[in-house]
Amino acid sequence: MKLTTKGRYAVTAMMDLALHQSDRHRVSLKSIAEHQEISIAYLEQLFALLKAKGLVRGVRGPGGGYQLTRPANEISIYEIINAVDESVDVTRCHGREDCQDGEICLTHELWTDLSSQISLFLDQLKLGEIIQSQRVREVSQRQSARCASARHTQQVAFN
Amino acid sequence: MKLTTKGRYAVTAMMDLALHQSDRHRVSLKSIAEHQEISIAYLEQLFALLKAKGLVRGVRGPGGGYQLTRPANEISIYEIINAVDESVDVTRCHGREDCQDGEICLTHELWTDLSSQISLFLDQLKLGEIIQSQRVREVSQRQSARCASARHTQQVAFN
DNA sequence: ATAATAACCAACTAATTTACTAGGTTTATA
DNA sequence: TATAAACCTAGTAAATTAGTTGGTTATTAT
């Protein structure tokens, strides 16, 4: 388990996706980039990883974009963070349990314990839960309004 | 909140300290380095931070070393990790709440929420609790034995 | 058909962080 | 007085982060 800004970007992008998608509507990286002020190219890297883990589905061409493969309630924060922070070998032992003179080290023992506790916690925390928060919804609406006005008149039907 | 290998090193070192200290006996960075296979110089950097946050006390000179300033039961994993991963500005907003057009961003809202939940969890998890684990104690004893034998005959009284 | 849109892909890069090294000074003990 | 240890400063190689650049492919609307 690792918890860095990279994971935060991924979770934020996934929140944006969950907030803006619908059956008909896919969400483009461009719109996420505008809302969240993350570069498209960086989002592309993150979504390649998220897609590889089966969390999102990409649709090409105009009107294309990304969609969650599962309901937001069934996607945990743990899954998202783990998809992008894939350095699973958080111990120097690289998963081996014989790192220290052929036996397990204290680091290993402690960190796997601690790690599994945090993982469990984050696994119970679902994307769907988080976007329920009233404050999150308020911020999201303001972001949409801001981007819509920046885009001026055209395509009112888009949001 | 950030969770990286640096924090793991700090927690591991603090565990080692908690396991080996006593009223009379301080623990030198040298012995932690031997047990945990972390370089002394790196430990020095970590302990400078831990000391700055008042988690440990250093005693100079022969027979010197470090001690916890509080009982292990009263030191949380959160405190340790936060002492060394001091990049508090986990959001790009640097603590400001007006990062996006003078208003709070979604990243900020989400991450502070999530962050505070993880922090709360890690704050309830105490150093004392973790070293109670039977497996941790077993590993620790083996480490002591290994280092004692490596040191050959001299100073048997030392461990 | 063709233009536009958006995913997808590869390679490079600056800045930061991590983990460590080197070479000291200072303080307390035996 | 020698030694052990904390304490301090500066440097550094490797890894990671957060991009940029410059494409290609697939799909849709005109």
Side-chain angles (χ1 to χ4, degrees):
Chain A
M1 193 64 224
K2 232 175 98 186
L3 206 59
T4 65
T5 50
K6 194 179 182 183
R8 192 188 83 231
Y9 278 111
V11 174
T12 306
M14 288 288 277
M15 279 182 67
D16 195 272
L17 179 49
L19 283 163
H20 291 98
Q21 76 167 7
S22 69
D23 300 344
R24 301 162 277 148
H25 189 63
R26 295 132 189 168
V27 182
S28 68
L29 295 188
K30 195 186 171 204
S31 78
I32 297 179
E34 283 172 4
H35 289 146
Q36 307 307 332
E37 295 178 352
I38 308 172
S39 81
I40 292 183
Y42 194 43
L43 283 172
E44 277 179 353
Q45 284 178 37
L46 298 178
F47 274 79
L49 297 166
L50 293 167
K51 195 190 167 194
K53 291 290 164 80
L55 296 177
V56 296
R57 171 179 33 242
V59 178
R60 290 182 172 195
Y66 284 95
Q67 281 176 311
L68 300 177
T69 51
R70 277 177 280 153
N73 293 347
E74 293 172 20
I75 296 176
S76 74
I77 301 303
Y78 172 80
E79 285 178 287
I80 298 169
I81 291 173
N82 240 247
V84 298
D85 281 338
E86 52 200 333
S87 60
V88 186
D89 62 337
V90 90
T91 58
R92 69 168 69 183
C93 334
H94 303 96
R96 291 181 293 111
E97 299 223 331
D98 60 343
C99 39
Q100 205 175 52
D101 294 344
E103 295 191 76
I104 198 168
C105 65
L106 191 57
T107 310
H108 197 108
E109 183 59 24
L110 159 74
W111 211 248
T112 49
D113 265 32
L114 187 59
S115 204
S116 64
Q117 287 191 63
I118 296 170
S119 299
L120 199 71
F121 168 72
L122 289 179
D123 204 44
Q124 286 162 349
L125 200 56
K126 307 296 181 187
L127 189 59
E129 266 176 72
I130 289 171
I131 61 170
Q132 293 309 314
S133 147
Q134 189 52 42
R135 281 207 71 189
V136 166
R137 295 201 159 264
E138 281 164 18
V139 173
S140 174
Q141 287 199 355
R142 180 173 51 70
Q143 285 176 340
S144 295
R146 182 173 57 82
C147 293
S149 73
R151 246 183 272 110
H152 301 301
T153 37
Q154 82 263 31
Q155 77 244 70
V156 180
F158 217 81
N159 224 329
Chain B
M1 191 67 222
K2 232 176 99 186
L3 206 59
T4 65
T5 49
K6 194 180 183 184
R8 192 188 83 231
Y9 278 111
V11 174
T12 307
M14 286 290 276
M15 280 183 66
D16 194 272
L17 179 49
L19 283 161
H20 291 99
Q21 75 166 9
S22 68
D23 299 344
R24 299 162 279 148
H25 189 62
R26 294 132 190 169
V27 182
S28 68
L29 294 188
K30 196 185 170 203
S31 79
I32 297 179
E34 283 172 1
H35 288 147
Q36 307 307 333
E37 296 178 352
I38 307 171
S39 80
I40 293 183
Y42 194 43
L43 284 172
E44 278 179 351
Q45 284 178 36
L46 297 178
F47 274 80
L49 295 167
L50 294 167
K51 198 191 166 193
K53 290 290 164 83
L55 296 176
V56 296
R57 170 180 31 241
V59 179
R60 290 181 173 198
Y66 284 95
Q67 280 177 312
L68 301 177
T69 51
R70 280 176 279 152
N73 292 347
E74 295 171 19
I75 296 176
S76 76
I77 302 303
Y78 172 80
E79 284 179 287
I80 298 168
I81 291 173
N82 239 246
V84 297
D85 280 338
E86 52 199 334
S87 61
V88 185
D89 62 338
V90 90
T91 58
R92 70 167 70 183
C93 336
H94 304 94
R96 290 178 294 112
E97 299 223 330
D98 60 344
C99 38
Q100 206 174 51
D101 294 343
E103 295 189 76
I104 198 168
C105 66
L106 193 56
T107 313
H108 198 108
E109 183 59 24
L110 159 74
W111 210 249
T112 49
D113 265 32
L114 187 59
S115 204
S116 65
Q117 287 192 62
I118 298 171
S119 299
L120 199 71
F121 169 72
L122 289 178
D123 204 46
Q124 284 162 351
L125 200 58
K126 306 296 181 187
L127 189 60
E129 266 175 73
I130 289 171
I131 61 172
Q132 293 309 313
S133 147
Q134 189 53 41
R135 282 205 72 187
V136 167
R137 294 199 159 267
E138 282 165 17
V139 174
S140 173
Q141 287 199 355
R142 181 176 48 71
Q143 284 175 339
S144 295
R146 182 172 56 81
C147 293
S149 73
R151 246 183 272 111
H152 300 302
T153 37
Q154 80 263 30
Q155 77 242 71
V156 179
F158 217 81
N159 223 330

